[in-house]
Amino acid sequence: MRTGLAAALAGLVLAIALNAGVAAHDEQDTWNHAESGRRLFERETFGGNGRTCVSCHSRRTGTVSPEDARERFAQGPGDPLFRGDGSDDGNGNGVQRILEDATVLVRVPLADNVNAFKIPTLWGVTETAPYFHDNSARTLADVASHYAKFFAIISTPPGGGAPGLVLSKQDEADLVAYMKLLR
């Protein structure tokens, strides 16, 4: 009985998808983009400090907690989480802030009393638009575009030169496809 029900439901989903104009190859194409986005999210360091997206947005919770940080520090203080803005001074010295509060250092023009921020979870991110503190990003594509520009700026060597972290438009689209799957 359950097998018949599963087959009937699968048929219904396929019929709805076909009636909505979504062909099977479109679903495979969407899956391929999401898989590429997952690889970027979990493995690509983009020539940076050894971090990947998942360094701060864990598979388990979508963010990093003080408990996560302490566990990772115990496993190895050289973990990429503790480099750069994960350190107390932004230069790799000290890790108290991230171990106690799970915040990363922010060096962008902000109010004098703001110098760190908590890493938001990405689980269910499709349900939380608009994005950012000022709701300036209406879609996940807007978020990906913002971070592509941000990472290019902060990874450009002092005095100029090529940025160390560059996301292509396809990288942005693939990351968005992957984030849509995070639940």
Side-chain angles (χ1 to χ4, degrees), residues 100-156:
E100 292 174 8
D101 301 323
T103 58
V104 293
L105 187 65
V106 177
R107 296 221 172 148
V108 293
L110 297 170
D112 290 340
N113 63 338
V114 178
N115 65 0
F117 70 95
K118 293 226 181 252
I119 299 162
T121 185
L122 294 179
W123 285 185
V125 71
T126 57
E127 324 296 301
T128 60
Y131 306 99
F132 300 137
H133 68 285
D134 61 356
N135 297 330
S136 61
R138 298 184 57 75
T139 67
L140 286 174
D142 294 338
V143 173
S145 175
H146 166 84
Y147 276 108
K149 292 172 191 164
F150 174 76
F151 290 137
I153 290 168
I154 66 167
S155 70
T156 299

Side-chain angles (χ1 to χ4, degrees), residues 22-97:
V22 178
H25 67 84
D26 290 338
E27 290 178 24
Q28 184 61 45
D29 191 46
T30 298
W31 178 254
N32 290 342
H33 286 296
E35 179 59 22
S36 177
R38 184 188 65 78
R39 279 192 304 276
L40 289 170
F41 193 86
E42 294 182 356
R43 297 188 194 124
E44 183 60 57
T45 63
F46 303 99
N49 62 8
R51 281 194 194 144
T52 63
C53 300
V54 81
S55 295
C56 297
H57 300 281
S58 78
R59 289 176 192 91
R60 186 174 56 189
T61 64
T63 188
V64 65
S65 69
E67 296 78 22
D68 294 331
R70 288 190 291 270
E71 181 180 310
R72 287 169 65 176
F73 190 76
Q75 291 175 1
D79 186 299
L81 180 64
F82 307 108
R83 298 182 189 153
D85 60 3
S87 67
D88 290 342
D89 67 357
N91 295 315
N93 301 305
V95 292
Q96 283 309 116
R97 187 188 61 258

